Amino acid sequence: MPDGPMVGILGGGQLGRMLADAAKTLGVRTKVLDPDEHASAGRVTTHILGAYTSPKALAALAEGCDVVTYEFENVPVEAAERIAETLPVHPTPEALRVAQDRLNERKLFGELGIASPTSVAVDAEHRIESALSRVGEPALLKARRLGYDGKGQFLISGAHDIADAWRAIAGAPAILDAFVGFERELSVIGVRASNGNCRFYPLAQNVHRGGILRVTTAPAPNVPEALREQAESAARAIMERLDYVGVLAVEFFQIGSDGDARLVANEIAPRVHNTGHWTIEGAPASQFENHIRAVLGMDLGDTTPAKPSAMVNAIGELPEASRVSAVPGAVLHDYEKAPRPGRKVGHVTITADTPKELHERLERYTRVVG
Ligand code: AMP
C-alpha cells in the first residue's frame, strides 16, 4: 500500500499532538520539530529535536513532507519562510507575522473594518501617560510580542501604575488597550480550504482566570444571529485577506446584551486553538481534522455541532481519572506533560444531550473534580 501524505508541523506541544492524532485517522503521516526533548507530540509521532533557527533541523522536518504547518505562533517567521522556499506552508507565514505582533493584528482589524478595543502603540515609558489620556482608565499595557495566556500584560488603573507596568513588561514595545467592560468572551473558529471554501464552528463562550482559559462552552448560549454573522464575517475577511489555508481562531469581547450586543475583536490565532478542543467530541469533524484536511487540499469536514459541549482545562496538574469518569459524558485528554503551576497539562471535554444536562454535568464536574 502506498504511504499516505505527510504533514510537517513546526511545534510539538499538545496542539501538534492532537493534529497528529487526527491526521492518523485520515491516513496522513506527521512529524514535528520542537526544541524540547519532552515535547508532548513526540509521544505520538516522529519528533525532530532541534531549534527552529537551525537550517539542518528545518531541512529534516521538510524532508518527505507534502506540506508544512505550525501549531505555535511564536515560531520564528524566518523558519516558516525558509521552508516556504521549497514546500507549501499553510497557513501562510504572513499570518504568523501578523499574529506575532499585537500592533499588526490591530492594524489588520482596522483595515478590514473589524471593531477592536481602542488602543495606542507605546514604545517608551514617558509616552504611557499621554496614551492613557487617549484610551482612558483603566487600561491594559500589553507587550506587542510573545504574550500569551495573559503574560506580558499589566492593568494600569491610574498614572501611579505606569512605572510598575513598564517594569512588568520589561520595557518591551507595547500597546495600551482600553479596558473593555465586556459581558462575556466569545471566539469563533473558522477553517478555509485551498479552494477558498470556508466553514465555521459555532461561537464558543470562554471563561478565563488569571489570563488563562479555564472553561469553554460550545455552542455559546444565547447568541443572537447578528453576533454569529459579525464573528464569521470578521474571520472570513481575515482569512481572505491573508490568502489563508487552515484553521483560524478569532477571540472577541461581547459588549452589551440582547439587541444591543456587539463584538470587538481582541486577537487572532493562526492555528488550531484551545477554544476549539471541544470539537474532538462535540463536532463531526474536529478542528484538528479540518486543519489537516485544509492544508492537504482535501474537502473540509462537517463543523455542525453534534452535542452541547464544554471543555475544562487542566492547569498545573491533571485531575484524577477516576473522578473525571464519575461524571457522565466526561472525557480526559492527557497531554503527558510534566506538572507545573500555570501549565496546561490536559483538558476534559463534557458532552450532553441538552444544554440543561450539560450545565448539570459541568456543575457536577466542579463538585467532584474542583
Ligand atoms: P490576551 O493575552 O490579549 O488574550 O488577554 C488575556 C485575557 O485578558 C483576555 O482573555 C481577557 O480576559 C483579558 N483582556 C485582554 N484584553 C482586554 C481588554 N482590552 N479589556 C478587558 N480585558 C482584557
Side-chain angles (χ1 to χ4, degrees):
M1 209 174 78
D3 286 334
M6 169 101 85
V7 177
I9 305 171
L10 289 159
Q14 64 267 21
L15 303 177
R17 179 191 181 110
M18 290 184 270
L19 282 169
D21 284 341
K24 268 182 213 160
T25 69
L26 298 169
V28 172
R29 295 168 301 145
T30 51
K31 51 178 159 168
V32 300
L33 169 63
D34 195 295
D36 178 358
E37 62 176 314
H38 303 295
S40 175
R43 310 270 192 149
V44 302
T45 189
T46 307
H47 176 194
I48 294 157
L49 184 63
Y52 300 122
T53 49
S54 154
K56 211 169 131 216
L58 294 171
L61 178 72
E63 198 195 337
C65 284
D66 296 281
V67 59
V68 168
T69 187
Y70 43 89
E71 59 95 70
F72 170 56
E73 71 239 45
N74 291 325
V75 167
V77 177
E78 296 71 29
E81 281 173 343
R82 189 181 179 101
I83 293 177
E85 287 167 13
T86 55
L87 272 182
V89 174
H90 293 309
T92 152
E94 184 57 19
L96 263 186
R97 194 186 302 284
V98 172
Q100 281 180 358
D101 184 334
R102 292 185 189 275
L103 187 61
N104 287 348
E105 267 175 347
R106 296 299 173 83
K107 281 187 180 153
L108 180 68
F109 293 155
E111 280 166 31
L112 296 171
I114 299 168
S116 64
T118 307
S119 69
V120 174
V122 171
D123 54 11
E125 185 179 347
H126 70 270
R127 297 201 193 275
I128 300 179
E129 193 155 2
S130 68
L132 201 54
S133 65
R134 284 169 64 189
V135 308
E137 295 168 4
L140 274 173
L141 187 67
K142 299 175 166 185
R144 277 168 56 179
R145 298 177 63 84
L146 301 177
Y148 67 98
D149 286 349
K151 293 192 173 67
Q153 53 176 273
F154 194 95
L155 181 68
I156 298 183
S157 36
H160 54 278
D161 287 330
I162 289 176
D164 285 346
W166 191 243
R167 211 172 307 119
I169 66 158
I175 61 168
L176 188 70
D177 236 8
F179 189 87
V180 177
F182 52 79
E183 291 286 321
R184 58 178 171 169
E185 296 187 72
L186 297 170
S187 59
V188 71
I189 293 191
V191 55
R192 185 166 182 266
S194 51
N195 65 4
N197 280 350
C198 292
R199 290 196 177 172
F200 300 92
Y201 293 95
L203 265 68
Q205 176 174 308
N206 308 310
V207 176
H208 292 79
R209 217 182 303 142
I212 305 180
L213 179 68
R214 297 287 155 161
V215 183
T216 290
T217 308
N222 308 320
V223 174
E225 184 59 15
L227 280 200
R228 185 185 65 77
E229 277 170 17
Q230 202 192 329
E232 290 185 6
S233 79
R236 187 189 299 275
I238 294 165
M239 292 195 285
E240 285 176 356
R241 166 63 68 95
L242 294 171
D243 201 11
Y244 196 95
V245 174
V247 163
L248 172 90
V250 189
E251 294 187 83
F252 298 95
F253 303 128
Q254 177 185 323
I255 302 177
S257 54
D258 305 321
D260 295 330
R262 62 190 176 88
L263 297 176
V264 293
N266 180 35
E267 59 181 0
I268 63 170
R271 52 169 172 80
V272 287
H273 195 247
N274 198 174
T275 65
H277 290 2
W278 65 272
T279 59
I280 297 176
E281 287 82 14
S286 73
Q287 61 164 347
F288 304 100
E289 176 182 335
N290 263 330
H291 187 73
I292 297 290
R293 284 176 170 275
V295 301
L296 281 171
M298 298 161 70
D299 289 340
L300 300 179
D302 189 357
T303 54
T304 319
K307 281 174 167 244
S309 308
M311 188 275 331
V312 186
N313 269 334
I315 295 170
E317 57 180 2
L318 277 181
E320 255 175 61
S322 59
R323 291 182 185 232
V324 174
S325 57
V327 179
V331 178
L332 174 65
H333 294 256
D334 176 359
Y335 306 154
E336 297 184 273
K337 286 164 64 170
R340 195 195 295 155
R343 192 179 205 199
K344 293 174 184 168
V345 294
H347 74 264
V348 173
T349 306
I350 305 169
T351 54
D353 288 328
T354 61
K356 182 168 172 284
E357 188 180 52
L358 181 68
H359 182 75
E360 287 161 6
R361 288 180 175 184
L362 245 182
E363 284 201 327
R364 176 150 174 201
Y365 182 86
T366 311
R367 268 199 319 276
V368 174
V369 181

